[in-house]
């Protein structure tokens, strides 16, 4: 037997993130696209047509494809529909795909870009707070399946991210809350200064930039989620399960907020998080009047968590914190399994508190 | 406006290739799987069940999923069927997928592994000559679409490749020819010594190992196909078009063999390839009695080539050679557009020669 080691030389990827106002008027994007001479296609949330994307497509001489911004369309079928439309219009590997919208749009269009002709140039333009601070950063793309959320996807880094905070001016309170839940989460796991700001003022562009920078610091160290990056999943073990059993009727923000409280409670019960820190973090979440989804069912929740991507040997694993601003390492696994008893007493508490 | 550069640290990937005999008895695979403690699923060509895979699955305590080895099943639908079966059986991110079969199996199962929970551990076991020398090396995964072959896919490196040449003992002549066409191609673009051996003896394990090594040398330098790797596409601009218009009734080997002659003829006509080299290479292909597919139609061929992944601005581009063993660089583009006149006179010659 002969053994040959294959060592491909991979180029070091870089993503340029532009943060500011009035970036969607097209000048910046036109410059970013000019270099490559690629043909351009914009995949955008349908709701943004009148506000930005029709004009942007004209300015960039791009084809505009619009999709509804509904979690229910983040499927294999929609991805295939977009791909076939691009094939029909003879878009080649020399195409730049610009995704404009919230997390549904950037996740789905990013996935298409990552598999279309084995990957085409990608630029993300997040227009919701959630997409700005979370979905657009770190290269995760995804579609949902009947078995759970984000279970199919790739890790595919965009060439650029254009974060135009002017788009937040038209954001609904519900959408604002979706992003805030992720900002608070990143504060809990890695940056206590985010909580200091959030406790004073919630709509604050410094808060947004801090959350973005905190996420970048994590994903730069562990882009492939072999360890550290798992801490970004804090609150999400419960949250993804909750969304699945509610058939995505509960918003991601609500699910993440409940998930963060529950996984903080678990951190408390397991003896990692001091009582006073738990009290402090609970007080901010108390102002949001969180509620379990209408269709809540404990058995279904546990079943839905059985396909969590952190699981090993079908054991559910949780990220845990020992203070506001710090997640535990657990020998660089950054998560640990939890016994059935511990999980059940935590769900008892959750049902009593939010039921 | 603020600009932040994101530089994720990517681990350098390595693929271990094992080449030899009796590697499929399971000892090597059991060792490779033991390290990770993952659950194991084998996705295999149905025809190999009695020969290898039922026993292998028992030995590895793995779940066996079988698929027909037919290019027509290399689709999004089959990929989704496999994914859903794995979700149903609660396979998590801690899964090793072992793909056993020819190029259809390794392309399709590799694609599934690359998107299942954003990527799971992958081991390829190519059992056809084509898959050994070509499909299994370099991380390309793919599915076909109604618009053409391999138009959706990823670049995803397997952890290991097990190349057991004993599996070739049961290989049909047609399958042998499929692999030989790729071996000759890699000889034409990068290694004249392959041709020296092939002119004497075709069924030779040194030939297989040389072709594997030649391909590794290319993909290590340019894994993402930004330049050099394009030379592996020699003969394939014509070949992929030919396969598409024949609805995959022509074999990949026949298509690649015709494609290599035609693109060599183009190299001759454009003044790069000397007449005597063209004569020498033609003589080996003459012994294969090549024929254009039954449904050949020039207009449809040109239409089918319009989605070739090398195209820029909808212009078809070709890899060209200037001697047996050397492809041209064209300023590191490794391919060039060809005028309509040149293409038409080449197709005239092809229709006269193989029609």
């Amino acid at each position: 037997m002969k053994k040959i080691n294959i060592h491909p030389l991979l180029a070091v990827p870089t993503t340029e993130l532009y943060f500011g106002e009035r970036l969607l008027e097209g000048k910046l994007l036109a410059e970013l696209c000019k270099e490559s001479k690629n043909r351009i296609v914009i995949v955008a949330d349908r709701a943004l047509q009148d506000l930005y994307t029709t004009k942007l497509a004209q300015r960039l001489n791009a084809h505009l494809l619009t999709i509804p911004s509904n979690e229910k369309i983040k499927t294999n079928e929609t991805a295939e529909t977009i791909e076939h439309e691009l094939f029909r219009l003879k878009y080649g590997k020399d195409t730049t795909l610009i995704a404009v919208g919230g997390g549904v749009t950037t996740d789905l269009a990013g996935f298409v870009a990552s598999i279309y002709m084995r990957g085409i140039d990608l630029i993300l333009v997040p227009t919701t707070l959630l997409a700005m601070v979370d979905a657009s950063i770190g290269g995760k793309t995804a579609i949902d399946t009947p078995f759970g959320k984000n279970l199919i996807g790739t890790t595919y880094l965009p060439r650029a991210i254009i974060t135009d905070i002017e788009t937040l001016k038209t954001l609904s309170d519900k959408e604002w809350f979706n992003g805030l839940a992720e900002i608070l989460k990143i504060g809990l796991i890695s940056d206590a200064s985010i909580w200091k700001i959030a406790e004073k003022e919630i709509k604050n562009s410094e808060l947004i930039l801090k959350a973005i920078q905190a996420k970048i610091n994590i994903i730069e160290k562990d882009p492939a989620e072999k360890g550290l990056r798992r801490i970004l999943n804090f609150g999400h073990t419960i949250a993804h399960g909750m969304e699945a059993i509610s058939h995505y009727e509960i918003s991601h923000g609500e699910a993440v907020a409940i998930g963060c409280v529950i996984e903080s409670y678990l951190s408390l019960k397991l003896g990692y998080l001091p009582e006073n820190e738990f009290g402090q973090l609970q007080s901010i979440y108390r102002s949001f009047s969180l509620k379990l989804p209408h269709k809540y069912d404990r058995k279904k929740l546990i079943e839905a968590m059985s396909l969590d991507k952190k699981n090993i040997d079908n054991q559910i694993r949780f990220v845990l914190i020992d203070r506001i601003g710090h997640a535990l390492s657990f020998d660089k696994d950054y998560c640990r399994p939890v016994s059935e008893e511990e999980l059940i007493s935590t769900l008892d508490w959750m049902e009593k508190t939010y039921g």
Side-chain angles (χ1 to χ4, degrees), chain A:
Chain A
M1 183 177 76
K2 199 174 153 64
K3 184 181 167 192
I4 304 169
N5 285 320
I6 310 176
H7 294 289
L9 278 179
L10 283 183
V12 179
T14 302
T15 301
E16 295 177 347
L17 186 144
Y18 297 88
F19 182 92
E21 291 178 64
R22 300 178 58 168
L23 305 180
L24 268 193
E25 287 172 6
K27 200 176 152 214
L28 174 64
L29 274 161
E31 271 169 33
L32 285 171
C33 290
K34 206 173 56 188
E35 296 160 32
S36 69
K37 289 184 192 156
N38 279 358
R39 285 174 74 198
I40 303 166
V41 63
I42 297 175
V43 178
D45 179 344
R46 195 158 292 161
L48 300 171
Q49 228 162 331
D50 297 337
L51 278 166
Y52 309 103
T53 51
T54 303
K55 261 189 230 150
L56 191 64
Q58 277 165 0
R59 168 127 199 196
L60 299 176
N61 195 18
H63 182 67
L64 176 63
L65 277 177
T66 65
I67 52 176
S69 65
N70 180 328
E71 185 79 37
K72 284 176 186 161
I73 63 103
K74 215 175 98 177
T75 62
N76 190 15
E77 288 68 43
T78 315
E80 197 175 51
T81 303
I82 297 171
E83 289 153 22
H84 287 195
E85 177 73 359
L86 296 181
F87 288 133
R88 208 179 52 72
L89 295 168
K90 303 249 182 274
Y91 277 87
K93 201 163 158 66
D94 58 331
T95 297
T96 294
L97 189 156
I98 304 177
V100 186
V104 167
T105 310
T106 58
D107 276 7
L108 176 70
F111 180 64
V112 169
S114 74
I115 62 172
Y116 191 81
M117 295 202 170
R118 293 202 189 92
I120 54 174
D121 187 39
L122 173 66
I123 296 178
L124 299 181
V125 183
T127 60
T128 64
L129 186 59
L130 177 63
M132 287 178 187
V133 298
D134 192 37
S136 68
I137 297 167
K140 282 193 181 178
T141 80
I143 53 174
D144 300 334
T145 78
F147 299 87
K149 200 179 162 176
N150 294 342
L151 288 182
I152 294 291
T154 53
T155 304
Y156 191 71
L157 295 161
R159 175 162 58 100
I161 304 167
I162 318 284
T163 301
D164 183 342
I165 51 171
E166 232 179 44
T167 60
L168 299 180
K169 284 184 183 158
T170 54
L171 205 67
S172 68
D173 282 351
K174 190 180 155 185
E175 271 300 333
W176 196 278
F177 182 66
N178 275 334
L180 182 65
E182 291 290 355
I183 292 175
L184 292 176
K185 175 211 74 182
I186 204 148
L188 286 180
I189 55 173
S190 74
D191 189 350
S193 77
I194 286 176
W195 271 68
K196 292 230 159 60
I197 301 171
E199 280 169 342
K200 276 184 241 144
E201 194 200 348
I202 277 168
K203 294 199 176 182
N204 177 316
S205 75
E206 195 199 341
L207 197 60
I208 302 172
L209 197 56
K210 261 187 181 284
I212 290 172
Q213 192 60 61
K215 179 156 184 188
I216 290 173
N217 293 346
I218 294 164
I219 67 104
E220 279 187 331
K221 287 182 197 126
D222 177 26
E225 197 159 333
K226 303 286 185 198
L228 178 68
R229 186 170 179 166
R230 290 196 190 115
I231 67 173
L232 290 164
N233 226 257
F234 183 70
H236 284 62
T237 319
I238 294 285
H240 282 157
M242 213 68 97
E243 288 175 279
I245 61 170
S246 83
H247 301 283
Y248 305 104
E249 274 160 24
I250 186 174
S251 76
H252 188 58
E254 283 173 282
V256 168
I258 291 181
C260 283
V261 181
I262 301 315
E263 298 181 20
S264 298
Y265 178 83
L266 194 54
S267 305
L268 169 79
K269 281 292 140 189
L270 294 170
Y272 300 115
L273 183 67
E275 191 89 48
N276 66 325
E277 296 264 324
F278 181 67
Q280 193 192 337
L281 75 85
Q282 240 196 324
S283 73
I284 201 165
Y285 287 110
R286 217 172 271 135
S287 59
F288 303 137
S289 59
L290 300 170
K291 272 248 163 261
L292 292 182
H294 190 66
K295 289 169 189 153
Y296 177 81
D297 174 299
R298 180 187 288 203
K299 226 178 113 190
K300 281 188 187 150
L301 176 68
I302 294 173
E303 169 73 15
M305 293 193 293
S306 71
L307 274 173
D308 188 278
K309 291 192 275 294
K310 295 186 300 304
N311 293 357
I312 286 190
D313 232 353
N314 288 337
Q315 260 202 311
I316 305 171
R317 299 198 301 169
F318 287 87
V319 178
L320 298 166
I321 57 173
D322 59 1
R323 62 172 187 271
I324 292 174
H326 189 255
L328 285 144
S329 153
F330 299 115
D331 274 333
K332 299 193 176 167
D333 263 351
Y334 294 96
C335 59
R336 56 155 270 193
V338 161
S339 76
E340 215 184 311
E341 266 176 287
E342 290 159 341
L343 182 59
I344 282 172
S345 81
T346 302
L347 296 182
D348 284 343
W349 184 81
M350 178 178 79
E351 289 159 19
K352 206 181 67 198
T353 314
Y354 298 112

